Amino acid sequence: MSPAPDASQREAAHQLEVTRRLREVEEAILSRAPEHDLEPSLDRIRAVMELLGDPQRTFPVVHVTGTNGKTSTARIVESLLRELGLKTGRFTSPHLHSMLERIAVAGSPIEAERFLAAYDDVIPFVEIVDARSILEGGPAMTYFEVLVAVAYAAFADLPVDVAVVEVGMGGSWDATNVVDAPVSVVTPIGLDHRHFLGDTVEAIAGEKAGIIKEDAITVVGLQPEVEAFEVLRERAEEVGARIVFEGNDFGVTERDVAVGGQQISLKGIASEYPDLYLPLHGTHQAQNAAVAVAAVEAFVGGGEQALDVEVVRAGLARVESPGRLEIVRRSPTVLVDAAHNPAGAVALRDALADSFTFARLVGVIAVMKDKDAAEMLEILEPALDEVVVTRTTSPRAMSPRQLGEIASEIFGEHRVSVVDDLPDALDRAAGLADEGGGVSGGVLATGSVVTAAEVRMLLGTTTV
């Protein structure tokens, strides 16, 4: 007769079953239409939420939209709220390594068992809505819609004191927009996802303005185009929301580069906060921090109550934003950045000039087929001595041959190497960076979130 398993064996068996089940659920979610392949509508997600009893109404939300800077801003907002002693949820996208990263609790990815429990609560209602939609000639719910439903169910079940929710795309019809957030945040708006959001800044701003709700406070970061300001202001007036603008009502008052990040002073909408350390690089991250502080002031005191400066210091000092101008290896230094559109490339180029000094910097570039690779490469060209163009494992990736042709037009053939596989491309770039001694050579891997994620994994970095 075999002896009964002891506690450690039972726990090991349990963890194996959780891992198996998680893989099964992830595959089921991934089998749905991806987040870039959708039919703009809130009907499906609203129907699921109603069947669940509207869990998203049980906690307040800081809702974040924009074209660039959303994830970093959401992370900074959440860090500040945690430093205030609040139990936080955070929903961001896309993820770097695991689907669980998108749903964070108290700053860490949701535990697999809690994720599975929320999924089990949600999926029967998703299937009801899927069947109804298909019967009416519509689509089943997408990957993104299901994850939003799971996140809101998990946050309600915990429960959280506040959730920081990043919009997936746009705003008005984004699946996250079944909340009435007391605070909405709009980071810089540029041209991206044009096939869904429109071909002008005004049209895109109009979609993103959909998260501005009645009697809420809207915090708007610096906008590269004045047209965006007007659209957002008009929406706020229309629904009776208060709106505050970076550069007018709040902003960065001082900034200096520091080891591992920067030293900044901020003017909020309620007070001033001097001598803060932010462990992120680039002027754009200082601006994200200013937006985040203003958003937290708006949330906890309606913009009328100063935050404790020591709380702000501690909250900013512990911020992390993986995949955003992140150092993942030394000798040579390897940086990864998730820039995937021209506005992101501008922020990246400027941050490199501001915060890093390399005698030689080699780019590893892999972009998606639907992105403006030529404009991104033109923006980055002054910052890079050479580029190695390649592809990620994503089926949406542009072919290295096509990307190489574009790069050669911009950099000249003598500065471009074409390597089919990302691991080989990374090795090639490291070798090029080492030419001349390698002491001050560096490698920058960028072009998409997937590029940043796959390089992180290749170099043994998977924490977020």
Side-chain angles (χ1 to χ4, degrees), residues 161-215:
D161 298 320
V162 55
V164 184
V165 175
E166 176 190 345
V167 162
M169 187 189 303
S172 296
W173 45 257
D174 186 78
T176 62
N177 199 31
V178 288
V179 296
D180 291 319
V183 176
S184 53
V185 174
V186 185
T187 65
I189 295 172
L191 297 174
D192 201 9
H193 302 298
R194 299 185 195 185
H195 51 303
F196 287 113
L197 304 181
D199 288 324
T200 66
V201 168
E202 294 98 320
I204 294 173
E207 288 294 336
K208 294 182 185 296
I211 73 165
I212 301 174
K213 303 297 174 63
E214 184 178 356
D215 297 327

Side-chain angles (χ1 to χ4, degrees), residues 267-283:
K267 175 183 179 292
I269 53 178
S271 186
E272 297 194 4
Y273 307 95
D275 302 324
L276 311 168
Y277 175 69
L278 180 68
L280 304 175
H281 300 286
T283 302

